[in-house]
Amino acid sequence: MSGGTRLENANPVIFQRSGQRLHTATEEDEDVHDPIDDREIFDILSINDPEHPLSLEELNVVEQIRVKVNDEESTVGVEFTPTIPHCSMATLIGLSIKVKLLRSLPERFKIDVHITPGSHASEEAVNKQLADKERVAAALENSSLLEVVNQCLSTRTI
Amino acid sequence: MINVYIELVTFAFHPQLYAHAHVLWLSFRGTMAADTALMLSLVEEYVSGLQDSKAKDTAKGVKDGEFTVLQLVEALGLSLTSSQPHTRARGVQLLSEVLQECYGGLTEREVEVLIAFYENRLKDHYVITPPVLQGLRALTKCTALPPGSAVSMLRSLFQDVHVQSLMLAERACVYNMLINLMETREAELKGLGADFVFGFVQSMDGERDPRNLLLAFQIAKSIVHRGYDLGKFTEELFEVTSCYFPIDFSPPPNDPHGITREELILTLRDVLAGTPQFAEFLLPLIIEKLDSDVQSAKLDSLQTLTACVSQYEHKDLAEFLEGLWASLRREVFQTSSEKIESAGLAALTALTSCLSRSVLNSDSEDSLCIFLDLVLKDCKHHLCEPDLKLVWPSAKLLQAACSASNRASHIIVTAVVPSIIEQYNNRTQCSHRRTILEVVQRFIQSVKTCQPPENEESVFGAFRSSLCSIVFSAVTETNASLQITASSVLTSLAQQTGLLLDSDIELAVDHLIRLLLMEDDDKVSLAVVECAGALAELHPAAFITKLIPRLKKEMFSDPMDQDNNREASEQQSHHALRQRCLSALAAVSIQPSVVQESTPVLLEVLSSAHTGSVGFSVEEVVLTCSSLQRIAEQVQDTEETGRCFHDIIIPRLLSLALQAGLQGEGSTGRRSPLLEEVVLSAMVPVISTSCSRLQPTLAEKTASRAVSLFLDGDVSFLPDNSFPSDIQLLKKQKGDSWSQSQMVCLLMGCVCSLPRSVEVPQMDQLLLQLEELSCTCSHPPSYTSAAKCFAGLVNKRAPGDSLDSLIQSTMKRVYSVLDSESSSVRTQAFTLMIWVARALLLRYHPLCTALIDKLFSLLDDADLGPMAADGFSLLMSDSSDVLNRSCHADVRIMYRQRFFSENSAKLVQGFNAAPQEKKPNYLKALSNIVNKLPKQVQVTELPALLSLLLEALSCPDQGVQLSTLSCLEPVLIDPPAALIQQLEALVNRLLALTSSRAMNVRIVSLRCIHAVSRFPVHEVLPFRARVLRALARPLDDKKRLVRDEAVQARSEWFLLGSPGGS
């Protein structure tokens, strides 16, 4: 196999994409108010993995059942599951998810991103980092970090 | 004279004798003709005066016969014998340039002398070589090339010239000489034997310019393909070309030469794959290059492998099989791109089919078997691994080999299918079973691509019963995706000729019926209907005896009868059942024998719906009509089916519609669903499809019957004939009743869809009555259909005075109504006008212009203005029921573009002149026109209209906003410069529209903003902050579809100018 840097998890299990959300008649109706729901947040999160040419959904890092949204109270909670317990990319994945939500949701929302309990070795540290507004802001000042995050969020094919 | 010529040339051969020649030359002057004075001055000006244009004049003189080449040589004498190499070069150059123009007129003798001269000049000073080569190239194009001269030319060329130390153009000159000679003197060159190849190899060795490489590859390709003797230089020729493989070349931007990478790759591939003699060198090279990290190199290697094995025999491949297989397997197992995977699979197929072609000797081993053993050894066990992880790549490899030949498919199927079947039976998880079924499906399809020879049993013959049993067990599972996969496997099995027995088909039909009746999952029933259609085409009998009677029974069981208080949900499910039955009936009706059985059922649905004996909803009746139409579309056009439609179905439809119409809309009690406009509009395509598609002679009969029904009230051909005798369908009914007049759409379906060769009887009478009805009736569907019918007939009518006078009288009538503001039938007149305008526009009739001008003037009309603006959309779009190509209408190509180019200026003028409150009409008309233009035309035409379109974006009419946005969207992908100049206005207006009241406007404006983010970064970056702020609001839009677009657009704008973004 041709070289390059070694990947931490070179051959991950790939999960099926859930496919396009089906449009309902109410979505076409001008007068109905569609609340922001779990699936919608989940669709926003079709982010590329930093290591693989796959989306987080295909790697099962983000699952629809681990996305909780309450439109009325303006809160969003996302739990993500790193592919392996020692994944060094966990913080980066969390940061990407957080940035994507910050860019895609109305300002009124309070966004909480954390690791699925029990799925990562340094779960608490990562969660703390992600919850700290100042640290998130500082991270995004770092242009090389921002570059990686933006690459994850880029929809254009390379 | 010719002696003088030779003597001169002989002197010219020996430059050391130039002084001698000069003296001789002077002594000959006296013999020269007087008109050579001109020639001498031309030569003088070219050689000493360095005026390049004189070469053209001289060539012209020679071409026109003013002087001969001989005289030119005479005149050149002094320069050719000059002691200065540059003067000699100049002299030769003039001669060469003239020859380039006039090589056609030379005699064999002249050519011989000239060649001798040039060959000799090759030995001269290096500055003379370029013009000499030019001259030789010109001579290679001569038809009068004496025998042997090609060989001698090449010998001196290879001997005296080192090609790679020449300049680019001279090298090209040498290659062109070779190409020309190979074109015309193939036999002679072959006589040179391997020397020719050697000479060529030496000439091209080290070539670096892509333009010349293309020429050199062409020569090499001819050498290889036309069977030149490579002798002991096979490897040299391979080396000198294969050192460029794989081609890595990216043309400079704005390349004026137009050499593409693709071109080089293909020509080189032709060389390398051209002969089995290269096999021993090429195959190791391919194996080596497949190891490369560069994707394009892999792809090129795989495609070259596919190309070369088509020429090879098994003995060429034998020693490399293992290496090739290892590389191919690796490429498919560890694939990083779909392109490489499919190229790898194609190479495997080509390789296997090469091995299958080989003829076996008694002493040699069967290399196909050996190779397939390798493949099976590496792939088969993956099909049985518990996690099924590598099942797809292995299956794809096996299938690629399988599809190569009948023999290969026998070997692989026999080895693999039993274990797959066993796997299926051992697995319990539905997703695993589905994967295995999909693998089976692909195997069956891969075998299908190599048709077995006649009267040989199918490859799957031995596994028929076990395959059937897994398919049938899969369709009885409750898992939807398993059922869907199983039904497509069933289709594939049925398509294997002679595989399934009648009893299998009957069992399959039973399963299909059960699924149709029980499964209410949309996707499953879609798959089942599709499968039923495919099976019915091949095995109609089982469907006639089983499926049709059963579906009929189910459809006619009336849920209303038993209990009126049934649950709504149950009615709903019964409706869905009927829907499935109707679409299944349509799908299976492909063979005439099935149609004979299925259409009576559908007709019975219609008549029971009419009489009310069984309750069918309007929607179900419409579906029944569309099923009939689908059958008319897909059935084979035979006499039998033609009779079925023209003699049974159409009269029956007309009769039912007439019965309903006579009952009238006012009758008390139950109203027949056949009175509904939707039902009638659904009947129209049944009639028009049969009339346009099935049996023209029968269609003619149907048309004349329909005309006599509508004009004369002749009901004799209708079944259940109990109609009154005074039917007048096209006359104004008393009390403005529309139940009969609306039937005119059925007449339209019939007479407007006939092939143009078929005559419609009583045409003038018919047109008169249609015009009357369309101008006086007050029921919109009736007068619209009458206008459409009139237009459909006008479109097909033969050109001439009678057509012109007909149109003029109609125009007069329409104008008089339109011009009287108080008239109550202005809308009717307008409708007739717009349809006639469309009919004429499609056939480029000159009278169309007047109607269009009238339409433009109506944009300012107080009442009809908006309608006129919408009328442009009708002119430009396709209509589904009349005036389209499937109705055999006279539709010229590109009528839309023509309309646009003739009228866009009028529109802009009108817009500028119009009062403020009328401007929206113009903008709407513009967006209607532009919207329907093909995208390519839009992109080129829009810059001119840009300011108008930007204006239209701020027009309050939502329809205008929407259609303008959808015109702009494709243009934004490749924005013209004019648009970038107006970026400020564009962004402002788009952002304003994101808070429009209409959801669609918000969606499309967000898409446009998204597209703007892909403009050149330096142009749009100044807007970033403003756009991001403005897009925060639609993120909280109440409609999800709007939010989706906002999210996408906003994240794209965030990435703009940010590290890692764009």
Side-chain angles (χ1 to χ4, degrees), chain B residues 222 290 292 313 416 469 534 560 625 672 685 723 783 1026 1036 1051:
Chain B
S222 306
L290 275 174
S292 156
E313 285 182 40
V416 171
S469 76
M560 310 290 201
C625 292
S672 164
F723 299 107
Y783 68 70
R1026 202 196 315 170
D1036 211 0
S1051 31

Side-chain angles (χ1 to χ4, degrees), chain A residues 2 29 35 40 103 108 150, chain B residues 293 1036 1039 1043 1050 1058-1059:
Chain A
S2 57
D29 187 343
E40 190 173 338
R103 289 177 181 178
R108 62 188 166 91
N150 276 339
Chain B
D293 276 342
D1036 211 0
K1039 297 309 296 173
R1043 293 196 299 263
R1050 196 161 190 255
S1058 177

Side-chain angles (χ1 to χ4, degrees), chain B residues 940-953:
Chain B
T940 53
E941 298 292 344
L942 276 197
L945 298 169
L946 210 57
S947 54
L948 216 55
L949 284 171
L950 286 177
E951 188 87 19
L953 282 183

Side-chain angles (χ1 to χ4, degrees), chain B residues 813-824:
Chain B
R813 176 168 187 177
V814 167
Y815 288 176
S816 75
V817 176
L818 288 175
D819 292 341
S820 89
E821 299 272 333
S822 57
S823 168
S824 61

Side-chain angles (χ1 to χ4, degrees), chain B residues 880-899:
Chain B
S880 59
D881 46 1
V882 72
L883 289 177
N884 55 38
R885 287 208 170 81
S886 63
C887 291
H888 306 287
D890 187 354
V891 182
R892 301 297 180 85
I893 51 165
M894 301 209 282
Y895 72 91
R896 293 188 181 88
Q897 284 91 319
R898 186 175 147 130
F899 179 83

Side-chain angles (χ1 to χ4, degrees), chain B residues 303-318:
Chain B
Q303 286 167 345
T304 308
L305 178 61
T306 313
C308 74
V309 288
S310 66
Q311 306 260 346
Y312 292 178
E313 285 182 40
H314 71 101
K315 63 177 190 313
D316 301 316
L317 285 165

Side-chain angles (χ1 to χ4, degrees), chain B residues 1-61:
Chain B
M1 202 60 161
I2 196 80
N3 287 332
V4 180
Y5 181 29
I6 295 171
E7 222 166 318
L8 272 172
V9 171
T10 320
F11 279 110
F13 283 178
H14 305 287
Q16 65 272 28
L17 295 177
Y18 66 94
H20 201 161
H22 188 74
V23 176
L24 272 177
W25 176 247
L26 288 175
S27 67
F28 276 110
R29 277 190 77 176
T31 65
M32 283 165 57
D35 61 350
T36 52
L38 169 65
M39 161 73 76
L40 275 176
S41 78
L42 283 172
V43 169
E44 178 66 22
E45 278 164 32
Y46 184 87
V47 176
S48 319
L50 300 179
Q51 294 182 33
D52 287 344
S53 61
K54 297 297 168 194
K56 281 259 173 328
D57 300 344
T58 320
K60 191 170 172 296

